[in-house]
Amino acid sequence: MITLSKKNKIYLLLITLIGIFLRILWITKINCVPISDFEVYKKIATNVYIHSTNSYMGVPVSFQGPGYTLILGLVYKLVSSSSILTAKILNLILSSLTLCIIMFIFYKLFRDKKIMLIAYTFMALNPNYIAYNNVLGSEVLLTFLFALIISLHMINFNILVKHILLGILIGVATLTKPQFLVYIFIFFIIEWLNSKNLKAIIKGFTITLFFFLAVILPWTFRNNAIYHRFIPISYNGGYVLFINNNSSNTTGAWMPVSKVSVSKTTKNKLIAAGFNYTSSVDEEVKEVMFNPKLEPVFKTEAVHWILNHPFNFFKLGIKRIKNTFFNGAGDIYAWCMTAQNSNTFLVQKPIFKKLFDFNIKLLSISGFIYIVISIGSIFKALICKNVKINYALSIPTINCLFFILIPFVFEGQPRYNFPILFMFEFCLFRLIYICIEKFNYFFTNKQSNIHSDYFTQ
């Protein structure tokens, strides 16, 4: 573990304050109103505030994970205001706390002090992490929860308390992003690779699972009472899977249900479940949002198509990965500022757009390279009982794979890369550190920490 001097600590504090200042500057100087999904989030959170129900247009909904809207609605109640500024201040608080948590993660994972300081600087000043404080969506909250979960990996304290907290946090993350339903298994794969202590892992898993279920089951029971179906978190999984995996989809991006070519039998099933093929695109989305009966039909058709078209599914998955990780930072302009800001310096100067795009592409490339060079050690540790993997390998590699797999299967767009960017940041500077160590070893004859099994313990 690295040792930080007083000057290092002052520097980290200064960078953190600069990062927070830039976040405040963005939300005060760059006007942004919620649109698309974010407008829906705002309205649902307002209903939580006014009516204490997770509803939209007077109808109870579970189309999206309720974590963000419930928390934002409770904050609205706490301050007695449902203004957009209130939501942005919540983002600012969570984003600032996330800076401190990621600082701790980098401190624990990096071996070199200078590399750690530089990596944290770039992370704190990451344009996406600054800009998204303007967005009324789940990205900032999920990143806070995700970083907090990762930090608990590396803290040694009371085992019972640790796994209780993990169960609660993974549960809240699951309510926020339903794909986190499987994250409890991801967590314990990492723990197994690090300790190979099966007894301790089973004990920890049992405690974590109990409190995880304690968090999500009330929502599951609520869904069962309203919809008379088993819906753990939300009912949009089948819909998203369907519109992104079909023979009509050539881009790997969202498309209307009515544009998807299906068999007459499937079309009749959708109509019988309440889908109206003559609706406009906007009305179609509302139909799907308000009608959970459509979800089983969507899911059945999507799974059937995937099983019968594995190569096409793979090609679409690759396109979705490209859309998510290698399309630059267009989401900053799409979601974090509005058309009224077309005269701002961020739009007037193309250099900013190029820098923002380069930042995302560089981080994504680094994350993918890190996975490629690390995956062999992961497989070796999974196969060999006595081979352990340190957190510097397992945490970024397995978590990055998890966030890559989500768009590969479901839907890909740039904002879905947001929670994993700080892990990509770690990958970038870890690779730089490895290159420096190799250079020292081969060209200067200095002692190197690198050995044949660099990532194992």
Side-chain angles (χ1 to χ4, degrees), residues 246-257:
N246 58 78
S247 297
S248 304
N249 194 319
T250 58
T251 63
W254 181 91
M255 67 181 296
V257 174

Side-chain angles (χ1 to χ4, degrees), residues 22-40:
L22 291 174
R23 286 156 172 75
I24 295 172
L25 194 64
W26 188 283
I27 66 176
T28 55
K29 296 299 183 180
I30 306 294
N31 181 40
C32 182
V33 295
I35 59 174
S36 187
D37 290 350
F38 309 113
E39 183 180 13
V40 175

Side-chain angles (χ1 to χ4, degrees), residues 98-152:
T98 304
L99 282 177
C100 299
I101 297 167
I102 295 175
M103 184 196 302
F104 170 78
I105 293 171
F106 282 8
Y107 170 72
K108 297 287 285 186
L109 291 181
F110 277 109
R111 295 182 181 181
D112 184 272
K113 177 170 58 179
K114 290 180 181 178
I115 294 290
M116 179 263 172
L117 295 173
I118 296 170
Y120 179 74
T121 301
F122 276 85
M123 188 282 303
L125 305 182
N126 186 298
N128 288 62
Y129 279 178
I130 292 169
Y132 264 82
N133 285 271
N134 240 359
V135 177
L136 274 64
S138 60
E139 285 74 19
V140 173
L141 171 62
L142 182 65
T143 306
F144 167 74
L145 294 168
F146 179 51
L148 201 52
I149 291 167
I150 289 177
S151 68
L152 283 175

Side-chain angles (χ1 to χ4, degrees), residues 319-348:
K319 289 181 180 180
R320 286 191 288 267
I321 288 175
K322 178 181 179 296
N323 293 342
T324 304
F325 299 104
F326 299 99
N327 262 3
D331 51 323
I332 289 180
Y333 292 84
W335 310 124
C336 306
M337 57 178 70
T338 58
Q340 291 92 323
N341 289 293
S342 58
N343 61 342
T344 65
F345 69 98
L346 288 171
V347 177
Q348 284 181 330

Side-chain angles (χ1 to χ4, degrees), residues 239-266:
Y239 164 71
V240 173
L241 199 65
F242 173 73
I243 60 174
N244 286 283
N245 294 285
N246 58 78
S247 297
S248 304
N249 194 319
T250 58
T251 63
W254 181 91
M255 67 181 296
V257 174
S258 56
K259 300 298 182 181
V260 178
S261 177
V262 295
S263 67
K264 186 175 181 180
T265 300
T266 299

Side-chain angles (χ1 to χ4, degrees), residues 435-448:
C435 290
I436 292 172
E437 287 284 283
K438 284 185 175 291
F439 178 86
N440 287 337
Y441 181 74
F442 288 113
F443 296 102
T444 66
N445 294 320
K446 290 183 178 180
Q447 184 63 39
S448 172

Side-chain angles (χ1 to χ4, degrees), residues 264-317:
K264 186 175 181 180
T265 300
T266 299
K267 187 173 183 178
N268 288 337
K269 287 181 180 178
L270 288 171
I271 293 172
F275 184 76
N276 185 358
Y277 268 92
T278 61
S279 299
S280 66
V281 172
D282 289 341
E283 289 301 317
E284 176 184 296
V285 173
K286 289 180 182 177
E287 285 181 12
V288 176
M289 182 182 295
F290 295 140
N291 189 354
K293 294 180 181 178
L294 293 169
E295 202 259 352
V297 184
F298 288 141
K299 183 177 291 184
T300 300
E301 177 64 19
V303 171
H304 181 265
W305 184 87
I306 291 170
L307 293 176
N308 285 277
H309 301 83
F311 183 66
N312 289 341
F313 167 68
F314 180 79
K315 288 197 300 183
L316 285 173

